[in-house]
Every structure is written in C-alpha cells, then in structure tokens.
Amino acid sequence: MSSDGSSEYKVEQASTSDSRFQYFAPTSLTEFTELLEKNYDHAKICAGGTDLLVQITQCALQPKYVVSTSHLEGFDKIELNEDALNIGSLTTVRAIEKSRIINQTFPVLSEAAHEIGAIQIRNVATLGGNICQNLKCAEYNQSHIGQFMRESIKPCLKAGGTACIAPFDSLRHVVVEKGICRAPFVSDLGLALHCLDSSLTILSRRGERIVPIRQFYFGPSEFDLKEDEFVKQATVSINGSRSSSGFAKYKQTANGYAIVAVAASILFETDNSTCRKASISIGGVAPSPYEAVEAESLLEGKKIDGELIAQASRAILESVKHRGVARSFKISLARSLAKAALEKAVVHGVDVN
Amino acid sequence: MTSNINLKINGARYAFSVRDDETLLELLRTRVGLTGVKKACDAIGECGACTVLVGGRAIYSCLYPALRADGAEIVTIEGLAVDGGLNPIQESFLKLGAIQCGFCTPGMILSTQALLEENPEASVQDIHDALSGNLCRCTGYEKIIEAIMMAKQTYAKPVSRRG
Ligand SMILES: Cc1cc2nc3c(=O)[nH]c(=O)nc-3n(C[C@H](O)[C@H](O)[C@H](O)COP(=O)(O)OP(=O)(O)OC[C@H]3O[C@@H](n4cnc5c(N)ncnc54)[C@H](O)[C@@H]3O)c2cc1C
Ligand code: FES
Ligand code: FES
C-alpha cells in the first residue's frame, strides 16, 4: 500500500514485438527542433496524434522517429490584443471550440472546431495538427482494409504508384482538378483560417518565419512546411471595422470529414451594411482551399441582403465543366453551404460587433 | 525500445515498461487485463469502443500513445463502480435496456460520465454531441439517449470517486 492508501502494482513484462517507431518527448524547444533537424525526413511531430497514428496504421506514413510535443510548454495560449488574435499551435480543438474570446471575435473558428471529429478527438487534437494533417482519400489512407489487403491492390500515386486511382466522379473527391491527385482538402480549421486571411508563425533551428496561410497552402495537396519545421501559432489580424464570419459543413457521419465545408467572412464598410471584402473558402472540392472569387466579387461593394447572398452563392463553381452525379451534388452542396455560412456570418456580425 | 512510465488506473498505481509504439488501448487490455476497454476499429478513431477517461476527459485510447499517458490518471469502465455497486449511468442503461450486444456500452457510459461531470444539465443536443464519437450497431441510440436523460436526474454529484 502506498501512502494514500491505494494499492501499487508493478507490471513488468514489456511486450516482445518490435516497435514500429522510436518515441521522443523532448522537454525543451531546443531539443525538440534539434531532433527534427537531425532526423530530417525520418521524424514526424506528434501533437495530438489523432491524425499521425491513423496515418501510421494505414501505412501512409512510416516515420522512424515520432517526436511528441507533450512536454513543450507555452504553445497552447489564446491571446487577443488590439491588432490580432493569436492561437498557439498546441491549443486543442476543444479549447478553440469552447473559447469565448474566439467565439466573440471570429466565430467561424469555433464553429469549425465544433464540427471536427468527435469529442474524444477534439479533446486531444490540436490546431497545428489540424492544419498540417495529411490529405484524405479512400484509395490512400481512409479505407477500412488492412495492410495485407492494401498490399494486394495497386498503390495510388501518393503511396508510390504511377497514377491516381481515385474515381473521377465521387462524393469524397475533388470537383476542381488541380494536379494529378484527386484527394480533397479537408482541414476545417485550415479552411476557417484561410477565409480569415490569417498567417502562421513557423519555427525551426534556422529561426522563425511568418507565412500567410494562403501561401502556406500553396499547391495541390502541398504545404509550405519543411520536415523539420514546427508551426508555432496562427495569427488573425483585426481590421478595426465590423467583421463577421460563419462556418457550414456537410458530412455523412457524425464524426466524419467534410464532403463539402464552407468558411465565410464579411468585412463591412463603416455603414455596417456595405460589403468591403468578402471571403469564401470551400473545402472538400479541391486539393487546397477553394476560394470562391466568383461569389466574392458579386458581394463586394454592395449592400448585403438575403437576395444578394442567394445570388452570389448560385455563382459558385459555375465554371466547372465536367460533372457527374456526385460532382453536381457537391456543387449544389457548396452553394447551399456558402449561403448558410454567409447568413450565419451576417447574424454573428450583429453579436460580435 | 521500451521506456518506463507510471500510471494511476482506476485509483491504483502501476509502473510499466512500455514499447515505444504501444497504445494506451493495448496496454490497458493486454497488460492490465481491463477488457472493458474494447477494440473495434483499432486505431482509426471511428468507433469509440476504446473510450477511456484521461484526467477526466474522454479520449480514444487506440489513438493515444501509452508513453504520452505517463503520470496520468485513467478511468475505465471497471473503475466506475461506486462501493462495489453500479454507478447511476450504468444503472439506468440496465434499467432501460440501453444495451444489446454490449460492445459499445463501456465507451457510451464513459462518454456520458465525462459529459455529466462537465455539464450535469446536459440537453438532448449536448448528449448527441457528446456521443457522436461512439457508434452502436444494435440499439438505434434511442434507448441510450433515454437512459442518459434518466441518469441525469439521479446524477446528484460527481461519482467518479477515483476521478
Ligand atoms: C475519426 C476522425 C475524424 C476526424 N474528423 C475531422 C474533421 O471532421 N475535420 C478535420 O479537419 N479533421 C478531422 N480529423 C483529422 C485530425 O484528427 C484532426 O484534424 C486533428 O486536429 C489533428 O490534430 P492532432 O494534434 O491530433 O495532429 P497529429 O496527428 O499530432 O498531427 C497531424 C500531422 O501534422 C503534423 N503536425 C502536428 N502538429 C504540428 C505543428 N505544430 N507543426 C508542424 N506539423 C505538425 C504531424 O507531424 C502530423 O503529420 C479526424 C480524425 C479522425 C481520426
Ligand atoms: S478502437 Fe478506438 S475508436 Fe475504434
Ligand atoms: S449494443 Fe451492440 S453495439 Fe451498441
């Protein structure tokens, strides 16, 4: 018996099989970044681990070293000052969902957080992990077949094959083709940060750099992030004038990824009704966040009302030529979700300001 | 590679030597014998059968490195009993027949426990939200929601004496 009266056990036998990776939990930032630099291309950051461990199970990632952030301190703060909202990368998705500060300034972020996975995921998942998560595709890392079965089918492009084997017309793939992989962008917080035009502070042994998120998601399924870099925080600047934002998502299971999701934000002129700038970012339809400029330009410079929102939403993805049943459905989803997100933004605008 | 960790599980202290890629799920089931922690989708994070409480919060133990849990307090379904009897949530699940095959039940009950600790006034919407990460292939969820509404009434004060 120990001092507090509870019984004490020692279970000695360590499991016999070999570990798939070596786990490190550095206690200082210097040690952390050194480990990443030294093991470039072989090490992966594990923040919440809710994506990384799934990727390892699915054999989409096979890092030799897993470097945990669990002992790093000070990266989980939500801070609002006069010109910006800063969110540390290790802030949990649950904390973002629950934060009054965020909800009162940029509700699109807390709404997006609320839509992610299940509570069990949100309790451990982090902002940094969410925006840096691997792309999702049934042919690559999302199927329920075991490794044995996967080895019996042709590998997809991402898994070392020669071509993308994803179907052309599918609910879980892109509508707008860019590049040769059809896996869509599904990070809900990435989408919200995209529509807010935020920026990321990224650090490594080489120092710190600041990257606008639109540049971070620069290419189809690619991020502006080196293997030894750590996203430290996201910053959303406050423009002074009235701004409002909202999020809408369609998913097929309660804890599933977006089939389509829309993050929208509107910046008003001083008259509080004319739109100076509109920002509509759509997930699930392209390999990176899709910016609906066709709708944004219809809103800008005009007084916002229900009719204008409906009209702008109808213009979304109009230029997509090749459509099957699934793609057409996704396009109509994008339009109705954009309408819902913009309407939410207008309503929140009243509360926020 | 193995490393040593200390855990408090259902109130008792344990010391383990853990393989680097061992999950909390594997550790609880195979080394402590807590088979109330179920393994279904196994490290995909979709079913919730492996739900346990770490520091009072519900998490998926299949996606939680055991090494990360070092120093943590863990509660599994085996630790919910109050003085050898059932806790109010367990009782109302039984009473209302919110169990069929029972495979999802430990996870459901632990998610409920975390919810009611945080928000004893939880609405039906809050319950839907809190259980969205727990799949049940038998009951159709209605009975489960009813059972939780019932447990809510008897849930006077936090019952996880080992928290
Ligand atoms: C069942 C289920 C449902 C999900 N549903 C959704 C959903 O609806 N929407 C959604 O957006 N996501 C979803 N996810 C994906 C994912 O779990 C979450 O996005 C989560 O936020 C990832 O965070 P994490 O801290 O657990 O990431 P980790 O698994 O720790 O990391 C993910 C990746 O990012 C890298 N990384 C982590 N932190 C940093 C950092 N600070 N700097 C640089 N690189 C970093 C890691 O190396 C890893 O490659 C779901 C996952 C599961 C299992
Ligand atoms: S076994 Fe952990 S979520 Fe299914
Ligand atoms: S009772 Fe069978 S899975 Fe829920």
Side-chain angles (χ1 to χ4, degrees), chain A residues 171 175-176 248-250 259-264 280-286 290 292 294-295 309-310 312-318 320 326-342:
Chain A
L171 277 188
V175 174
V176 181
K249 170 171 169 177
Y250 174 80
I259 300 298
V260 180
V262 180
I280 304 170
S281 306
I282 310 184
V285 297
Y290 175 80
E294 62 276 35
I309 286 178
S313 304
R314 282 196 295 272
I316 287 172
L317 292 167
E318 219 163 25
V320 176
R327 285 188 174 202
S328 302
F329 178 58
K330 288 189 72 149
I331 292 172
S332 31
L333 274 177
R335 291 173 181 170
S336 50
L337 292 169
K339 183 163 169 282
L342 286 163

Side-chain angles (χ1 to χ4, degrees), chain A residues 89 101 119 152 172 175 203 320 328 334 342:
Chain A
S89 67
I101 294 179
I119 285 189
S152 70
R172 299 197 176 273
V175 174
L203 69 79
V320 176
S328 302
L342 286 163

Side-chain angles (χ1 to χ4, degrees), chain A residues 31 69 106 166 177-178 186 234 248 261 271 293 299 325:
Chain A
E31 200 190 331
T69 59
F106 300 105
E177 306 245 2
K178 283 186 201 157
V186 290
D271 69 356
V293 276
L299 295 169
V325 180

